[in-house]
Amino acid sequence: MAHHDDGAAASFWSPFRITIFRAFWIANLVSSIGTWMHEIGAAWLMTSLTRSPVLIALVETAISLPIFLLALPAGALADILDRRRMLLFTMGWLFAVAATLGMLALMGLIAPWILIGLTFALGLGAALNAPVWHAVIPEMVPRADLHAAVTLNSAGFNFARTIGPALGGLVVASAGPWAAFLLNAVSYLVVIVVLYRWKRPPRENIMPAERITGAVRVGLRYVRHAPALHAVLIRVGAFMLFASAFWGLLPLFIRFELRSDPRGYGILVGLFGAGAVSGALFLARARRRVSSNMLVSAASLLFGGMLLILGITRNLVSAGAAMLIGGAAWLTLLSTLNASAQVVVPSWVRGRAIAFYLFAFFGSMAAGASLWGVVASRIGVSHSFLLAAAGLFLSAAATHRFRVVEGGEASLEPSLHWPAPRIVGPYDPDEEPVLVTVEYRIDPEQAQAFIAAMHELGRIRRRDGAVNWGIFRDTTEPGRYIEAFVAESWTEHLRHHERVTIADKAIEDRVESFHRGPTPPRVSHYIYASNVEGEDTVGRITEPPQGLR
């Protein structure tokens, strides 16, 4: 047993052996401490400016709503732009906004809507930053260490949650919220220094960069046909809709229900962070014994239990104990879902997949925080916590059937087994649609099994770029089938070549095992015949290569 634990611990800490990951982790820790100091300062400042539950909850909405609005284009940018440069830009933006907020607070020029507006501006920077920040983690560590790296990242953020709120409470109590805002600005400079010194290897790609609108469409298409990602999005959205009551109403609960001061606020939020850190140590071992699906369901129930206790207690000690448990549940659930969102998608679409995860997370957070602010104004904070706890219990039961995939079973590395198709005649690579057909000859007695395998392959075709797909049988010749799918352009079809993974190839091989023809399935490519003058530009057709696409 001792040997087993040591192995778990070694696996948990192993990403720290990588220099760049270690530097990023430390910089992220410093920045996260600054962020939590800001959170304490902003929440306490708003409760000093107004007692309106709606306005106080809107602070959480202001930081979450931009990620809901910009997650998809931000995820596309994370996949098509240089990730290091994008991080430098977003960190520069966050530094500028945090410094502005600190200076205005120092001069006494902050009103409720100014605080909400500048918090929204911080949210814009966070929205652009989050997908690319998550997307670079798999570039720094081997795939085998990805779960540990994501958990360490979450543990660092929650360790900052332990230190930051307590420091923030001391700073706000001794100097004022302005000092917390300026210290947050300084913390962004630490990240900028690490980014500036990071020599990210250049990514060679002979294909032209995707346009932002096309990249978003491709991301939408991918997610639509990625069931493993659907489960993650449903689970995180359902959880955050009710868990957002905790973050939206916590300042009101601590100040007016528990009648505490900024120090008490910082200590309680710090206890939540301490619980999260302990949850990270627990998770490294629990993942070896319990499925991700069970971990997510159990964590959701525990978080609901924390809200139940907060809804009935007026005691600082029992509230702190409940928040310790809630912190462990929070990290267990979100770290598991975050890691799953990254390991079930290939590198080329990872930024967009993470963007959808953040879209679901912060969309539910923004909607939930506003909703619970309205609910609390009618039934009170404590009853709102009880109602949210009931919602979490029900949602955990309702979403358990959406299984979270562990990841790592199938290789998502590019297979690059499709030969480059040849083309004759003039063409516009970015305009006309492309039709690809594949002709199969099979044993008619195996038709049902073949069609079932083809529809699984069709989902992959659509996921990787096909705008239409179908399988058709010959009405006069039993056993002859034509697969047909359409790409938006020749360039997009060539990108499809780069997106096929080793796991996809295994499914293709299974489909082709049904083929009984004397030669491999015949593949043909056709470009849409535009209605333009000149024979040379009408009816352009590729020379069909032998073998796969």
Side-chain angles (χ1 to χ4, degrees), residues 358-375:
L358 296 172
F359 181 85
F361 182 103
F362 286 99
S364 296
M365 171 77 87
S370 300
L371 170 68
W372 292 111
V374 173
V375 170

Side-chain angles (χ1 to χ4, degrees), residues 121-139:
L122 280 172
L124 291 175
L128 292 173
N129 178 77
V132 65
W133 185 270
H134 287 282
V136 298
I137 294 176
E139 294 184 18

Side-chain angles (χ1 to χ4, degrees), residues 305-320:
M306 178 200 70
L307 288 178
L308 182 64
I309 293 172
L310 295 182
I312 61 178
T313 189
R314 296 295 180 273
N315 181 272
L316 205 62
V317 175
S318 57

